[in-house]
Amino acid sequence: MYRKIAFFLSVLILASCGSKQENSETEATSIIPVNVVGVGKIVPQGGVIELAAPAAGIVMEINAKPSEKVSRGDLILTLYNSDEELALKEADSRIRTQEMSIESAKITIDQERIAYSDLTRQLNDAKELLSAGATTGENVRRLQSEFDQKTERLKILENDYNLKKSQLNEIRVQRASKANELDKTLFRAPLDGTLLDITPREGEAVSMHQQYGRLSPDKPLVVIVEIDELFADRLDIGQTCYINLHGDSELAATGKINRISPDLKKKSLFSDSGTDLEDRRIREIEVSLDEINKTLFIESKVECRVQLN
């Protein structure tokens, strides 16, 4: 009898413990986080611009230094361009010569037009005199022949004049091409900003489209943050964010999410060297800063705590 009672009590105790464990597991899985932390970096809005070389050549002069403020069109770097300068001077010389040739052709045409007008008058007078019997038909035929020759010569001169003007336009187009080639050897700032660095040094070769420097545009600072894919569907525009410098517990800035990537990406910011056991993906967000409490340097590593809705 005692054994049956003891067995029955044991079964009740085990059932009670199992029920409590299930309840505790249910409570644990129902906990919803209110914050999520992601790793990010400080960048100007739109990102840092990587400057690409518009031409290949040897660096002759560095015209701006890293950390300097530059305006759109300011000269940053100059390549050796003696060949381009010589070609441009040659084009300028051809333009001047062609312009003089056109001016000379115009003077000749003006003279021929005067002679043509005088010969036209003589021919008309001769025809009137012929009708009155005051001149011979031979004289009229001579004047008519001279008139026809003068007409053809005037057409030839006008065609030559138009050809010279067309050639001048072609030379000007060639000159513009030479000027463009020369301008490509002058590397200029594409917009206002701060020059972060310049890669080549004087005397070094630069290839076309090679990155030769980086420029931070004059735009507000933002934070680009990577959030683990586990919380990708919990992100929303306008959520409050708290920014801390890496390894610093003091609040550096606050802000709000203003952009969320539409897709999941591989880790790109400060990614590790392949030691992670899990290949997890991230969703990228951009945080606009409302209040900045500390100095924030471009491309500084930060931690961003997002307050989830």
Side-chain angles (χ1 to χ4, degrees):
M1 184 65 179
Y2 290 111
R3 291 181 180 179
K4 290 182 179 181
I5 294 173
F7 177 78
F8 182 73
L9 292 175
S10 299
V11 171
L12 289 177
I13 293 172
L14 289 174
S16 175
C17 291
S19 177
K20 289 181 179 180
Q21 184 175 358
E22 289 177 0
N23 291 336
S24 63
E25 289 177 356
T26 303
E27 292 175 359
T29 55
S30 65
I31 295 176
I32 299 176
V34 295
N35 294 287
V36 60
V37 178
V39 177
K41 68 177 179 180
I42 305 295
V43 295
Q45 193 169 41
V48 173
I49 297 176
E50 296 181 352
L51 302 174
I58 307 298
V59 177
M60 181 177 71
E61 184 179 2
I62 305 296
N63 304 97
K65 298 178 181 179
S67 75
E68 282 187 2
K69 299 281 289 185
V70 293
S71 300
R72 183 186 182 93
D74 284 354
L75 193 59
I76 296 177
L77 181 150
T78 304
L79 301 182
Y80 283 97
N81 50 25
S82 56
D83 291 343
E84 288 80 5
E85 287 182 344
L86 183 61
L88 188 62
K89 290 179 180 179
E90 181 182 354
D92 288 336
S93 177
R94 291 179 60 195
I95 287 175
R96 288 192 295 270
T97 301
Q98 192 69 12
E99 288 175 342
M100 293 173 62
S101 178
I102 289 174
E103 183 64 25
S104 177
K106 186 177 183 304
I107 293 173
T108 303
I109 288 177
D110 290 340
Q111 292 174 346
E112 285 295 319
R113 284 174 177 167
I114 293 173
Y116 176 83
S117 178
D118 184 64
L119 189 58
T120 301
R121 179 185 57 78
Q122 292 181 31
L123 178 60
N124 291 333
D125 290 345
K127 288 180 178 179
E128 290 180 0
L129 291 174
L130 179 63
S131 62
T135 188
T136 64
E138 180 65 25
N139 185 43
V140 173
R141 286 191 293 273
R142 179 182 61 80
L143 289 173
Q144 183 67 52
S145 177
E146 290 180 4
F147 176 80
D148 293 340
Q149 293 177 11
K150 186 68 69 174
T151 301
E152 291 301 318
R153 174 168 171 75
L154 187 58
K155 288 181 179 178
I156 292 173
L157 291 176
E158 288 176 343
N159 288 337
D160 182 64
Y161 176 73
N162 292 330
L163 177 61
K164 290 180 183 296
K165 290 200 298 183
S166 177
Q167 291 173 340
L168 176 61
N169 291 334
E170 291 180 0
I171 297 174
R172 283 174 174 165
V173 170
Q174 295 173 0
R175 196 264 182 199
S177 176
K178 301 299 182 183
N180 185 53
E181 292 178 4
L182 176 61
D183 190 63
K184 285 182 178 180
T185 65
L186 308 175
F187 296 2
R188 301 182 183 277
L191 42 77
D192 299 347
T194 302
L195 192 61
L196 297 181
D197 62 66
I198 296 181
T199 306
R201 294 174 294 182
E202 292 183 4
E204 292 184 344
V206 176
S207 302
M208 183 178 291
H209 303 147
Q210 171 188 337
Q211 179 184 334
Y212 71 90
R214 295 189 307 142
L215 179 71
S216 172
D218 280 343
K219 294 185 178 180
L221 294 180
V222 296
V223 185
I224 302 299
V225 185
E226 294 180 340
I227 302 297
D228 191 278
E229 62 179 337
L230 182 63
F231 305 97
D233 60 347
R234 300 284 310 280
L235 301 172
D236 199 3
I237 299 294
Q239 287 176 331
T240 302
C241 301
Y242 302 94
I243 312 300
N244 295 80
L245 297 175
H246 184 64
D248 189 350
S249 60
E250 293 186 13
L251 187 66
T254 60
K256 289 181 173 59
I257 298 178
N258 63 25
R259 182 181 62 82
I260 304 175
S261 65
D263 59 342
L264 296 178
K265 305 177 181 180
K266 292 182 179 180
K267 293 181 179 179
S268 59
L269 303 175
F270 312 105
S271 57
D272 296 329
S273 57
T275 57
D276 293 339
L277 297 179
E278 291 185 274
D279 183 20
R280 301 192 64 83
R281 301 175 72 82
I282 57 91
R283 194 174 187 189
E284 186 178 274
I285 63 173
E286 180 180 289
V287 179
S288 60
L289 301 178
D290 299 328
E291 182 179 348
I292 301 176
N293 303 321
K294 290 191 174 185
T295 302
L296 300 177
F297 295 98
I298 295 174
E299 296 194 340
S300 297
K301 184 176 182 179
V302 296
E303 296 174 354
C304 177
R305 180 164 54 87
V306 181
Q307 185 173 327
L308 302 175
N309 295 334

